Amino acid sequence: MSLHQATRTPADINLSGWYGILPPPKAHEVLRGRHEADWVIVGGGYAGLAAARRLSQLVPEDRIVVIDAQRIGWGAAGRNSGFMIDLPHELGGENYGGSHGHDRKRIRMNRAAIEFSSSAADEYGLQRFFIRAGKFHGAATDHGLAILREFENHLTGLAEPFEQLDAQQLKKITGTDFFIGGTFTPGTVMAQPAGFICGLAEGLSSRIRIFENSPVTSVQIGKLHIVKTAEGEISAPRLILTVNGHLESFGFFKKRLLHVFTYASMTRPLAKSEQATLGGELHWGLIPADPMGSTIRRIGDRIVVRNTFTYNSDMSTSEKQIKRIGAAHDRSFRARFPMLGEMPMEFRWGGHLCLSLNSAPAFGEVDERVFVAGCCNGLGTVQGTLYGMLTADLAVGSDEPMVAEALQEQTPARLYPEPLMSIGAPLKLWAMQRRAGREL
Ligand SMILES: Cc1cc2nc3c(=O)[nH]c(=O)nc-3n(C[C@H](O)[C@H](O)[C@H](O)COP(=O)(O)OP(=O)(O)OC[C@H]3O[C@@H](n4cnc5c(N)ncnc54)[C@H](O)[C@@H]3O)c2cc1C
């Protein structure tokens, strides 16, 4: 028997635009009193809800419970930019790619996760939040263009389709002449992340019990695991932890997880006249050529800017930090859309990413009948879904072949000792973001 007290519980601040523009999502109950279940899943993001859905397919008679510290969709799952990318997407690299063998496997597994989400979108009527639109990469500098050409060579080597775009073609789509060239890849799904995740939870709630606003304060591992919150507890023989970086708060993968935040701002609705001035298409998503640059999305009458990574080892950000980075968003916005003048941002927010030094996920059985899926290295909409669904397969002992592949992958490497991390990680991020130059 072992007790894992949570040293921290999540408290994301500021309403994200994705959540803010939705009609109020369905409320789930707060955990109160004692409950029993066959499975308890802690964390209701991509990984947790994928694990729950997969379990409901594999063991439909079992009692499955999901519990989240915050409202469903309030955490990173509803705060991200919604690029569900099928291709390799190594944020720490120079051109998003890795080795060919590794990338082929990654693409196959990412696509399996996207299909799993797609079937959920069909089942629960969430197609409006899950659009197979593909993604653009835009270069604003010669360095960026060189990165894209390298990326295209890499895609050619993988026999993956792409389209090369010049400045004129990108202007027709985005309305701006900021980009000097780009690449389109067709396999990315563009999600409304909060709409998708709240809709997924609502769809699952007819078969699965979901508790929200219920931070888990301790987990006692034993014959029956006991998961406790301030007002209640659940006992179950099997436990799945899908709390992403907060795995460390429960004492798992200590000194192996990098807690990085990234930030976004969403405009107020553009007036019809502003939309006419801007031109371009109504819906598109663009990733910078340099992984450290700005991601831009247009969603009808609004535009979303995401940039800046900060190392926050205490797993939290502050209003001051969000405000400071908001000024960087405004600069990036003005550089791309000078024709729109001073555009007020209606929403500004930040969110927690969990990375590892070797881009490896946290996956597997960490104690008897205790399974984990987390640390999705900035591509959690897809890889959270992937490892979430595979934890269910692993835990049930199904014959899904991707489980063996996932178990053969590396685990998160040990971080450098202090004070190297607290000094070195911010410096490295600063240098990488500086390298992005005009792409930021
Ligand atoms: C601004 C931004 C942009 C991003 N853009 C993209 C993108 O375009 N594409 C992409 O793939 N990824 C993107 N990401 C990353 C993506 O959001 C994450 O990788 C993804 O959410 C991880 O999914 P998850 O289910 O593993 O973890 P999370 O979504 O973090 O879910 C974990 C859940 O666990 C809960 N939890 C933690 N501790 C406890 C506890 N003690 N008790 C109960 N519940 C607990 C949390 O409240 C949370 O809801 C972005 C992130 C941010 C912040």
Side-chain angles (χ1 to χ4, degrees), residues 376-397:
C376 292
N377 289 290
L379 191 57
T381 63
V382 172
Q383 287 181 16
T385 302
L386 174 72
Y387 293 105
M389 73 195 211
L390 293 182
T391 45
D393 281 283
L394 172 67
V396 166

Side-chain angles (χ1 to χ4, degrees), residues 10 43 46-47 68-70 76-77 80-83 216 244 351 353 378-381:
Y46 287 89
D68 201 285
Q70 312 183 93
N80 61 74
S81 303
F83 288 75
V216 170
N244 210 13
L353 297 179
L379 191 57
T381 63

Side-chain angles (χ1 to χ4, degrees), residues 242-412:
T242 46
V243 290
N244 210 13
H246 282 279
L247 280 170
E248 187 166 352
S249 306
F250 287 102
F252 297 104
F253 298 92
K254 272 170 121 172
K255 308 238 178 291
R256 287 172 187 272
L257 306 180
L258 276 163
H259 305 291
V260 169
F261 274 64
T262 188
Y263 304 82
S265 297
M266 184 187 278
T267 65
R268 62 152 169 75
L270 269 56
K272 284 265 176 277
S273 58
E274 289 167 329
Q275 294 185 46
T277 307
L278 171 61
E281 294 180 5
L282 279 177
H283 294 272
W284 48 268
L286 184 142
I287 283 185
D290 187 303
M292 293 294 122
S294 298
T295 296
I296 313 282
R297 270 189 78 173
R298 178 154 179 203
I299 47 164
D301 60 0
R302 293 180 190 259
I303 296 177
V304 189
V305 184
R306 186 221 47 85
N307 67 34
T308 311
F309 293 96
T310 58
Y311 178 65
N312 300 30
S313 56
D314 66 354
M315 304 186 208
S316 68
T317 181
S318 63
E319 292 203 11
K320 197 170 153 201
Q321 194 167 33
I322 293 174
K323 194 168 169 208
R324 180 173 58 74
I325 292 164
H329 293 159
D330 293 346
R331 281 195 296 279
S332 304
F333 187 90
R334 277 197 301 272
R336 287 156 182 79
F337 307 109
M339 67 297 264
L340 293 176
E342 295 290 324
M343 176 59 58
M345 297 290 171
E346 188 172 339
F347 302 97
R348 294 194 196 275
W349 67 97
H352 183 180
L353 297 179
C354 179
L355 314 178
S356 56
L357 281 180
N358 54 344
S359 301
F363 172 73
E365 187 171 4
V366 289
D367 205 328
E368 218 179 322
R369 293 167 283 103
V370 180
F371 304 88
V372 300
C375 187
C376 292
N377 289 290
L379 191 57
T381 63
V382 172
Q383 287 181 16
T385 302
L386 174 72
Y387 293 105
M389 73 195 211
L390 293 182
T391 45
D393 281 283
L394 172 67
V396 166
S398 87
D399 56 4
E400 167 54 58
M402 283 190 296
V403 170
E405 290 185 273
L407 288 173
Q408 278 159 16
E409 289 177 342
Q410 293 181 356
T411 55

